[in-house]
Amino acid sequence: MYPASEIYGGFANAFDYGPLGSQLKLNLKNEWWKRFVVGRDDIVGMDSAIIQNPKVWEASGHLGSFTDPLVECKKCHKRFREDHVEEAKSLISTPPNLPSERGGKDGLTPEQKEMLVCASGGEHDFAEAKNFNLMFKTFIGVTEDSTSTAYLRPETAQGMFINFLNVTQSSRVKIPFGIGQIGKAFRNEITPGNFTFRTREFEQAEIEYFVEPSLDESKKWFTYWLARWKEFFTDFGIKDENLTIRAHDKSELSHYSAGTSDIEYDFPFGMSELAGVAQRTKFDLEQHEKHSGIEQKYFDEANNKKYIPYVVEPTMGVDRATLAFLVDAYDESDGTDGREKGEVTLRLDPRLAPIKVAVFPLMKKEGMPEIAKEIIADLRSAGVATFYDESGSIGRRYRRQDEIGTPFCITIDFDSIKEKTVTVRDRDTMKQERIKISKLNDCLLEKL
Ligand code: GAP
């Protein structure tokens, strides 16, 4: 990942995903979609517009309630989130004792230091907190006034609520069922930071799961989805001990939620929210019914009843998940596992790894590059992301691939010419097996 707009000095807290990063993130989104949309008969997918009629945000409560309390220093006029300033202050009164990589000797990040020390000297002199709406405004068409104001969506969820009727009428879904969506969301965060953890433009993967309208049903599905959500992270390699489930207390709940639990990950900067599951009850559909004047009810044929369903919402940040998978996979050798001390292996699940197979000719002659290129062409036609490398020693080529998480490396040597076999080396065990070239595709596809 690169700092966005880097040649112009960057653009605070925005990042671009490069060749490997974009593939890693895409693999993650594809696996999510395969598991939760394609892999289930009770969930359908959708892709809604980012800019919707502003009435959507009036109805959803985002125009009125999607705010953060902000404090402004009367001396330097810098603004910070009030809760973040309180958190930074509490860290000084109770020394956090964090290791230096988590924010310097005193345990404070540069952002937290800025919250405590005014640029004009001494402490900040904060005025009363004011509420600040986090939605990005834009204008539609040529005039720039209140009649043309529109907003970039702050969550993908509303696109699914406002299409509830379209989906129920066009896809024959029956309650309980869900709608899933992956897409960009935008929030004018006051204190973004910690790399891609909190940015102003980010991606979400969300499901709105519609159930019969009772708190018991809602709680049952809430428990179900919390387990499925955590499982997604552990099945793709995140260590269970690095995840925690934390229930929100009443003061933290979003304006739409009757109960939320976060799945937190032990990031290098501390335990922080990675994903969450909320009980949104009938809040959103009821609001859209009121504001649009169009009934948002479901006819339950099995029970001969008409009602607004309750909603359980599992949600995750795609950028945060990408970051967590990267952090969790990062492994520096202590020198006792056959690698040299300090050598890095990215132990990504093969399904997430940006490159699946690297192919090396031992020499740049004797027909070895030609065999390597044929193998690459075969793997590519089977949809496998490959990389060709003919420079440096084989050990060096392995190390380059270990660092980017490539699970398998193939070497073409003299036996490849004589016996039509190659070696396949496993990133994690470093073991090598000899495999017939004719069996290579099937063997690798099975491993992947
Ligand atoms: N629809 C519900 C919703 O939007 P949220 O907790 O505000 O709930 C969902 O956001 C997920 O989106 C979070 O769990 C987090 O992973 C991710 N997220 C939220 N704000 C973010 C930001 N500024 N930068 C990166 N990811 C963010």
Side-chain angles (χ1 to χ4, degrees):
M1 294 173 219
Y2 313 118
S5 311
E6 197 173 12
I7 60 168
Y8 292 102
F11 193 56
N13 299 293
F15 297 92
D16 296 334
Y17 288 77
L20 297 170
S22 58
Q23 189 64 56
L24 169 63
K25 191 173 161 188
L26 186 64
N27 292 347
L28 177 60
K29 289 190 281 185
N30 286 341
E31 292 299 333
W32 187 94
W33 193 264
K34 263 201 262 177
R35 174 174 292 220
F36 295 115
V37 181
V38 180
R40 299 180 59 116
D41 58 14
D42 59 345
I43 299 190
V44 290
M46 74 168 299
D47 182 10
S48 66
I50 285 173
I51 301 176
Q52 301 273 359
N53 188 319
K55 285 181 186 158
V56 170
W57 310 112
E58 217 177 292
S60 70
H62 284 85
L63 262 178
S65 310
F66 195 56
T67 55
D68 273 342
L70 209 75
V71 286
E72 182 174 329
C73 172
K74 292 179 202 160
K75 296 190 288 181
C76 68
H77 301 288
K78 278 218 154 187
R79 293 172 177 185
F80 304 98
R81 255 174 71 169
E82 191 181 29
D83 57 333
H84 287 181
V85 174
E86 292 309 318
E87 193 186 320
K89 279 184 185 163
S90 75
L91 289 181
I92 330 193
S93 51
T94 49
N97 201 17
L98 294 173
S100 57
E101 69 269 22
R102 290 199 178 180
K105 279 203 191 78
D106 49 12
L108 294 173
T109 63
E111 291 87 10
Q112 284 170 328
K113 283 181 188 144
E114 218 189 336
M115 289 175 206
L116 300 176
V117 184
C118 178
S120 65
E123 285 184 19
H124 289 291
D125 180 10
F126 288 125
E128 271 293 277
K130 278 192 193 142
N131 277 333
F132 172 80
N133 196 294
L134 298 182
M135 280 196 297
F136 275 105
K137 265 188 201 166
T138 188
F139 299 98
I140 301 296
V142 286
T143 52
E144 293 196 4
D145 59 26
S146 61
T147 58
S148 62
T149 303
Y151 302 90
L152 305 193
R153 69 178 174 202
E155 59 169 7
T156 64
Q158 293 306 321
M160 295 184 267
F161 291 125
I162 58 174
N163 279 292
F164 173 72
L165 286 186
N166 287 336
V167 172
T168 50
Q169 285 162 10
S170 62
S171 43
R172 300 170 70 192
V173 282
K174 291 214 166 26
I175 270 178
F177 77 91
I179 308 179
Q181 168 158 235
I182 299 177
K184 291 261 183 178
F186 303 82
R187 297 180 189 177
N188 198 0
E189 299 279 4
I190 298 139
T191 30
N194 286 329
F195 194 30
T196 51
F197 177 80
R198 181 173 286 108
T199 49
R200 296 190 169 104
E201 173 182 343
F202 55 95
E203 241 173 320
Q204 293 183 316
E206 302 197 289
I207 295 169
E208 304 308 323
Y209 200 77
F210 301 91
V211 303
E212 281 182 38
S214 81
L215 276 179
D216 281 350
E217 272 292 291
S218 173
K219 276 190 194 139
K220 184 179 96 188
W221 286 107
F222 175 77
T223 309
Y224 169 87
W225 276 110
L226 206 49
R228 299 294 78 72
W229 232 219
K230 186 167 173 233
E231 204 171 71
F232 179 74
F233 294 111
T234 51
D235 282 359
F236 282 91
I238 291 201
K239 294 167 208 78
D240 197 53
E241 68 263 27
N242 292 336
L243 294 167
T244 313
I245 292 182
R246 189 183 68 81
H248 281 202
D249 66 36
K250 280 225 161 75
S251 65
E252 276 179 276
L253 288 177
S254 308
H255 61 276
Y256 51 72
S257 178
T260 297
S261 281
D262 285 344
I263 297 176
E264 296 189 335
Y265 177 72
D266 192 7
F267 285 101
F269 42 84
M271 268 290 174
S272 305
E273 176 189 347
L274 173 61
V277 182
Q279 297 188 62
R280 293 181 83 128
T281 66
K282 57 179 175 175
F283 177 86
D284 300 271
L285 287 181
E286 197 170 61
Q287 285 294 104
H288 289 303
E289 182 169 282
K290 260 192 232 157
H291 285 253
S292 68
I294 297 172
E295 204 177 66
Q296 301 293 313
K297 294 197 174 61
Y298 169 82
F299 181 63
D300 184 340
E301 280 174 32
N303 297 306
N304 198 24
K305 278 194 297 195
K306 206 173 174 193
Y307 52 74
I308 298 184
Y310 272 25
V311 172
V312 174
E313 177 193 67
T315 174
M316 70 174 70
V318 178
D319 307 271
R320 282 188 193 179
T322 306
L323 185 58
F325 278 110
L326 268 178
V327 167
D328 220 77
Y330 185 87
D331 184 20
E332 248 176 51
S333 173
D334 59 4
T336 62
D337 60 352
R339 292 179 155 94
E340 277 185 35
K341 195 170 185 303
E343 271 177 20
V344 171
T345 306
L346 204 54
R347 298 189 188 277
L348 287 172
D349 184 289
R351 293 166 292 181
L352 299 183
I355 291 168
K356 313 291 186 200
V357 182
V359 186
F360 313 146
L362 182 63
M363 301 168 90
K364 290 184 207 168
K365 52 186 184 183
E366 310 281 351
M368 291 182 200
E370 287 72 20
I371 297 177
K373 283 175 186 169
E374 270 173 37
I375 288 175
I376 286 198
D378 271 1
L379 286 167
R380 281 203 177 128
S381 65
V384 178
T386 53
F387 187 82
Y388 175 80
D389 190 358
E390 57 175 28
S391 64
S393 69
I394 292 288
R396 205 150 164 213
R397 289 184 241 174
Y398 283 152
R399 280 199 296 283
R400 284 187 203 130
Q401 296 304 317
D402 287 348
E403 281 188 348
I404 61 167
T406 306
F408 302 106
C409 293
I410 295 174
T411 303
I412 320 299
D413 54 18
F414 288 104
D415 285 346
S416 310
I417 301 158
K418 278 191 281 170
E419 293 165 14
K420 306 266 180 272
T421 60
V422 292
T423 60
V424 176
R425 183 249 196 193
D426 180 294
R427 175 197 68 201
D428 295 330
T429 61
M430 296 193 293
K431 290 217 170 87
Q432 300 185 18
E433 6 169 13
R434 271 215 99 82
I435 298 204
K436 280 209 167 338
I437 295 177
S438 57
K439 301 235 164 84
L440 194 57
N441 261 24
D442 286 348
C443 163
L444 285 168
L445 287 173
E446 195 184 316
K447 283 177 193 286
L448 288 164

